[in-house]
Amino acid sequence: MMTNKLIARLMVAATLTAAAATGTAFAAGQQDAALAGAAKAGTATNDEAITSKIKASLADQKQIGVTTAEGVVTLSGSVASTDEGTKAIQVASAVPGVKEVKSELTVASK
């Protein structure tokens, strides 16, 4: 009789341990998914901040368009000279969080 109770308790303990492990794995998977979603949202917010900083730094050059996706900045539009384009690229490159600057700038003909 005592052996049956001990076996029953051990089986209950094993079942509870297995259920807890499964629940932990499930919770970890949910947490990973939530963190991935938060990282994506954080990237979008960071991209917006990068774009804003570059636009503020290039406020005197309204003809230059700025877009940012995952830290990659694209400058577009027309500039008066290659020096102006080079300066815009340097300004964009200096902003924290910028991974790369792509230039689609063209030099306006005179």
Side-chain angles (χ1 to χ4, degrees), residues 54-70:
I54 295 171
K55 284 183 176 181
S57 297
L58 298 175
D60 60 330
Q61 298 176 336
K62 303 255 188 245
Q63 74 282 7
I64 297 178
V66 181
T67 57
T68 308
E70 297 182 16

Side-chain angles (χ1 to χ4, degrees), residues 1 11-12 39 41-42 47 52 55 65 69 78 82 85 92 102 107:
M1 186 76 153
M11 289 180 70
V12 168
D47 286 344
S52 295
K55 284 183 176 181
S78 180
T82 55
K102 294 182 178 181
V107 178

Side-chain angles (χ1 to χ4, degrees), residues 68-85:
T68 308
E70 297 182 16
V72 177
V73 175
T74 303
L75 301 177
S76 59
S78 180
V79 292
S81 67
T82 55
D83 286 343
E84 212 174 275

Side-chain angles (χ1 to χ4, degrees), residues 34-57:
L35 289 174
K40 201 171 236 185
T43 301
T45 302
N46 194 37
D47 286 344
E48 291 171 12
I50 290 170
T51 299
S52 295
K53 288 177 186 176
I54 295 171
K55 284 183 176 181
S57 297

Side-chain angles (χ1 to χ4, degrees), residues 2-19:
M2 207 55 144
T3 307
N4 287 343
K5 286 184 181 180
L6 181 59
I7 292 173
R9 285 182 185 165
L10 288 173
M11 289 180 70
V12 168
T15 303
L16 291 174
T17 302

